[in-house]
Amino acid sequence: MDDFYAYLWEFQVDPDFETEFVRQYGPAGTWAQLFRQSPDYIETLLLKDNQVPGRYLTLDRWRSETGYLAFKFAYAAEYARLDLACARLTRSERAMGAYGELRPTD
């Protein structure tokens, strides 16, 4: 099995669109539904900042970076359409990096 892979995004959400943002970006949301087309997708976590109003983080988990990149290639048009449709929900968004799992060594 390939190494675990995840990427993290930060969003500042317009207060008028927070309900819709959660519907689009949450674990059962439109993005997760698109990602589920790939057998390499694991889950999406949506985190709301308790200190900063309107600040959210998404963490998307995949079985491997290769699987994620294959998904992005195969679903590029759908991804771009959804990204464009959701752009109005946020004041800003920022990629915060891609991460691999640290596993204990035996």
Side-chain angles (χ1 to χ4, degrees):
M1 183 168 151
D2 291 334
D3 292 334
F4 159 87
Y5 174 78
Y7 54 87
L8 186 66
W9 282 84
E10 174 189 50
F11 298 88
Q12 187 62 47
V13 179
D14 186 307
D16 295 335
F17 296 117
E18 280 192 80
T19 300
E20 186 173 352
F21 176 85
V22 170
R23 189 173 71 243
Q24 298 287 344
Y25 287 85
T30 310
W31 281 103
Q33 291 172 25
L34 176 62
F35 297 157
R36 281 190 195 99
Q37 303 302 307
S38 170
D40 291 303
Y41 171 72
I42 299 172
E43 70 178 336
T44 294
L45 302 176
L46 177 61
L47 307 172
K48 182 176 182 177
D49 193 317
N50 290 332
Q51 304 296 316
V52 180
R55 181 174 181 244
Y56 290 82
L57 300 175
T58 59
L59 177 75
D60 298 310
R61 295 182 63 220
W62 296 79
R63 296 191 195 294
S64 69
E65 182 176 11
T66 302
Y68 166 70
L69 294 174
F71 162 82
K72 285 265 309 210
F73 180 78
Y75 290 88
E78 294 90 338
Y79 190 103
R81 275 195 297 273
L82 187 54
D83 193 43
L84 183 62
C86 290
R88 67 183 176 80
L89 304 177
T90 62
R91 293 181 175 172
S92 66
E93 67 179 78
R94 178 173 65 111
M96 298 186 66
Y99 302 86
E101 181 178 16
L102 293 177
R103 298 179 184 189
T105 56
D106 294 337

